[in-house]
Amino acid sequence: MAKYLMAIDAGTGSIRAVLFDLEGNQIACSQQEWSHIEDPKYPGSMNFDWVNDWKLAKQCIAGAIKESGIESSEIAAISTTCMREGIVLYDREGKEIWACANVDARSNDEVVELIHKFPGLEKELYLESGQSYALDALPRLLWVKNKLPDVYERVAHIGMFNDWLIYKLTGILAVEPSNGSTSGLMDLKTRSWDPSILERCGLKTDIFPEVRESGTIAGKVTEKAAKETGLTEGTTVVVGGGDAQLGCIGVGVVNPNEAAIFGGSFWQYEYNTGEAKTDDQCRVRVNCHAVPNVWQYEALAFKPGLVMRWFRDGFCQLEKEEAQKTGRDPYDLMNEKAKDIPAGCYGMMCTFSDVMNFISWKHAAPTFTNFELDPEKFSRYTFYKAILENTALVTKGHMDLVRESTGNMPSEVVFASGASKSPLWSQILADVLGIPVKVPAVKEATALGAAILAGHGVGIYKDISETSKKLVHIVHVYQPNPENHKVYMEMYDTWRKVYKVQLDLANEGLTKHMWAAPGV
């Protein structure tokens, strides 16, 4: 009897295959790191090597089956998820001919061309698709047309990476709305392709494969794929979705007016809505959820996890040495000291990621400000806590943006991924937002979301939302401290004004932007 579900997750830094039992317990995981190489001829490029990367995917699938000790025939269904925004282009024979990963930034010239050639078009397209030139496929397709015309001439189909994995397993190419919508080529309301978007940008309009909703059957594992991976021929493959959307399913955020924060290298604030509406000022991204008839406002905070890693490696050598001796995490050691710093860090604050402005997305130069030459108050632990507070303040800004667009605020929020392991960061987040912060037990939320879709596709789970709620377990709820919340609300307005001045300095060329979208 088939009693296991497999998720294949193509992340930015690795590919993995994860096996779950029908109660949502992880029983095996095989992972391979991969990298997306820059072509020196094209600065900012992030090439996706579909030949080598499929080899790694096959190894992961076989590795997970071997690690689990099960027979592949016991796998009831498979689904896939991946980093979003990455695209694969195919020729008429179905062969891959060009692909780039998610934050490929080679198309700066094309963004400038689109802005100058079609003034106002980016806002027009955003209001329909929920996307801007910062991350969508339009500038990349235009880059292929301009820089590789022979390749562009051969382009017959476009797809995303989760669909590419299904294509390799089944021979069937179909795109689903949750990740497909991040391409900027779909109409949010219809959850399907809009050829007029490409037409308005002077691009070919006949490159769209079929659209199938997440959780529907895509096809069966072919004889060829079975031999390559160790899977059983004929195993059902179910349409998956984008990593953030499936992560939401994996933490129980599946209904309108529910929200999640994923705290990793980048922080994602995801707010569910039952309407396909966008922000009049184009400040926040809107995607299709992997749950039918649900959409998501998404706001991204740039690099909080990477900022933490920088601070740990640059300033916390003593904690790293102690961690090596004791087997503890350096961050835990830092948290123990930083928790005694009062809320607001004695008035010190920092500027790293700004509140999202999708249509003109820039970040100021990294800065710490308003500290005194008092080592008792302003030690490395104060600077460390200021980083935690800064990220929470950005998240409040994102929650405010979505409230301004929708008129709604969540009454609580689920906090997942690496940052949620920090009790201090979780409590600061609750104190800044002023609502309960719930931390789930699941470690592989995105993969669990894919497994739930796989089970739904073959009838094991009748309802995606109901199953999600049943399988997700909350292990801690952080309640906001009213006194700290008051401190942070007073601090927030000051921080926004300070950030604006710092961004002006970068815009004037006196300092260097931490990051700016292509062409902005």
Side-chain angles (χ1 to χ4, degrees):
M1 178 182 175
K3 52 187 177 180
Y4 299 100
L5 300 165
M6 176 175 280
I8 308 172
D9 182 359
T12 302
S14 65
I15 173 78
R16 55 190 153 184
V18 189
L19 274 167
F20 294 88
D21 64 21
L22 302 187
E23 286 71 50
N25 300 305
Q26 181 179 317
I27 64 166
C29 177
S30 179
Q31 179 169 312
Q32 294 279 348
E33 290 189 356
W34 60 15
S35 56
H36 314 295
I37 308 301
E38 180 179 73
D39 186 331
K41 293 186 293 184
Y42 307 117
S45 59
M46 197 177 184
N47 291 323
F48 183 77
D49 183 351
W50 58 82
V51 175
N52 184 63
D53 293 345
W54 175 236
K55 289 179 182 176
L56 296 176
K58 291 186 290 186
Q59 291 172 18
C60 290
I61 295 167
I65 296 170
K66 182 178 180 180
E67 179 188 325
S68 69
I70 69 169
E71 296 294 328
S72 64
S73 58
E74 296 180 275
I75 299 172
I78 303 161
S79 191
T80 65
T81 183
C82 69
M83 64 176 115
R84 296 164 306 159
E85 298 97 34
I87 59 172
V88 182
L89 303 180
Y90 305 83
D91 65 15
R92 295 192 183 283
E93 284 71 47
K95 294 179 181 177
E96 305 95 329
I97 55 175
W98 189 87
C100 71
N102 51 0
V103 290
D104 183 283
R106 77 183 81 194
S107 55
N108 190 72
D109 292 347
E110 281 67 32
V111 172
V112 172
E113 178 183 340
L114 286 167
I115 291 172
H116 289 170
K117 197 172 181 179
F118 307 107
L121 180 60
E122 185 176 18
K123 181 175 182 179
E124 179 185 313
L125 295 179
Y126 166 83
L127 295 174
E128 297 173 27
S129 69
Q131 310 300 314
S132 79
Y133 297 153
L135 294 174
D136 73 22
L138 283 169
R140 295 167 181 178
L141 287 170
L142 185 57
W143 183 92
V144 175
K145 180 180 180 181
N146 289 346
K147 306 296 196 301
L148 302 174
D150 291 344
V151 172
Y152 181 78
E153 186 63 30
R154 295 165 54 207
V155 174
H157 303 290
I158 184 171
M160 317 302 282
F161 290 158
N162 54 321
D163 313 308
W164 170 76
L165 286 167
I166 289 176
Y167 178 62
K168 301 301 282 187
L169 291 171
T170 67
I172 295 169
L173 179 61
V175 176
E176 49 72 39
S178 74
N179 198 6
S181 63
T182 72
S183 71
L185 307 179
M186 282 189 169
D187 182 297
L188 276 177
K189 290 185 175 65
T190 64
R191 300 171 72 93
S192 190
W193 302 114
D194 181 356
S196 76
I197 292 175
L198 288 176
E199 184 178 14
R200 280 174 275 178
C201 296
L203 294 164
K204 59 170 69 176
T205 61
D206 58 349
I207 62 171
F208 296 126
E210 178 187 356
V211 175
R212 299 187 186 182
E213 281 282 357
S214 302
T216 59
I217 292 176
K220 306 284 186 179
V221 173
T222 63
E223 179 183 6
K224 180 176 185 291
K227 288 179 180 177
E228 293 178 338
T229 61
L231 292 167
T232 297
E233 182 182 353
T235 302
T236 300
V237 181
V238 176
V239 178
D243 55 5
Q245 291 93 327
L246 266 58
C248 284
I249 293 176
V251 299
V253 176
V254 287
N255 299 318
N257 303 320
E258 295 178 341
I261 298 163
F262 295 99
S265 298
F266 292 65
W267 276 35
Q268 298 160 323
Y269 172 59
E270 306 285 348
Y271 177 79
N272 290 349
T273 174
E275 294 183 275
K277 292 174 64 178
T278 49
D279 173 47
D280 289 343
Q281 298 179 53
C282 311
R283 295 168 297 177
V284 62
R285 191 184 203 191
V286 187
N287 305 316
C288 297
H289 200 325
V291 179
N293 301 313
V294 180
W295 290 261
Q296 288 188 319
Y297 281 78
E298 176 179 86
L300 301 172
F302 261 61
K303 304 184 179 181
L306 301 178
V307 172
M308 289 288 283
R309 187 188 305 172
W310 158 76
F311 192 84
R312 178 198 66 190
D313 294 344
F315 301 96
C316 303
Q317 285 81 3
L318 293 178
E319 284 74 20
K320 290 177 72 173
E321 290 173 8
E322 185 177 345
Q324 284 188 330
K325 293 176 184 176
T326 61
R328 298 185 64 192
D329 189 321
Y331 291 125
D332 291 340
L333 299 172
M334 293 295 295
N335 287 340
E336 288 177 1
K337 299 287 187 179
K339 68 179 174 57
D340 296 327
I341 307 294
C345 291
Y346 306 105
M348 187 179 82
M349 60 191 73
C350 55
T351 59
F352 287 94
S353 181
D354 195 6
V355 174
M356 188 173 181
N357 184 12
F358 200 22
I359 201 76
S360 182
W361 209 357
K362 303 177 186 177
H363 302 281
T367 307
F368 290 91
T369 190
N370 208 37
F371 57 91
E372 301 170 19
L373 304 182
D374 179 348
E376 293 298 317
K377 288 184 176 180
F378 297 96
S379 66
R380 67 181 181 278
Y381 306 115
T382 319
F383 283 74
Y384 173 83
K385 187 168 185 178
I387 296 171
L388 306 184
E389 292 182 340
N390 177 78
T391 307
L393 292 170
V394 176
T395 305
K396 175 197 159 31
H398 290 159
M399 201 167 276
D400 286 349
L401 280 186
V402 173
R403 185 193 68 231
E404 291 170 18
S405 295
T406 65
N408 295 313
M409 280 275 283
S411 58
E412 60 186 22
V413 66
V414 176
F415 186 33
S417 297
S420 68
K421 298 174 186 176
S422 167
L424 178 60
W425 218 344
S426 300
Q427 186 60 55
I428 289 172
L429 191 60
D431 292 348
V432 170
L433 300 180
I435 58 176
V437 170
K438 302 168 72 173
V439 176
V442 65
K443 295 178 181 178
E444 296 283 357
T446 300
L448 177 59
I452 290 171
L453 289 180
H456 175 71
V458 292
I460 293 171
Y461 308 132
K462 291 184 179 179
D463 183 84
I464 295 171
S465 299
E466 181 183 305
T467 303
S468 171
K469 297 292 187 185
K470 179 181 177 182
L471 297 186
V472 173
H473 304 288
I474 301 298
V475 294
H476 201 101
V477 179
Y478 294 87
Q479 298 291 344
N481 178 307
E483 293 182 4
N484 289 348
H485 180 63
K486 183 179 179 181
V487 170
Y488 288 128
M489 289 307 90
E490 293 173 355
M491 181 183 183
Y492 178 74
D493 290 336
T494 303
W495 175 75
R496 290 299 301 266
K497 292 174 184 176
V498 168
Y499 201 103
K500 182 181 183 304
V501 173
Q502 293 295 334
L503 188 58
D504 288 343
L505 290 174
N507 289 339
E508 292 170 22
L510 298 173
T511 57
K512 184 179 178 182
H513 291 105
M514 184 179 77
W515 184 84
V520 174

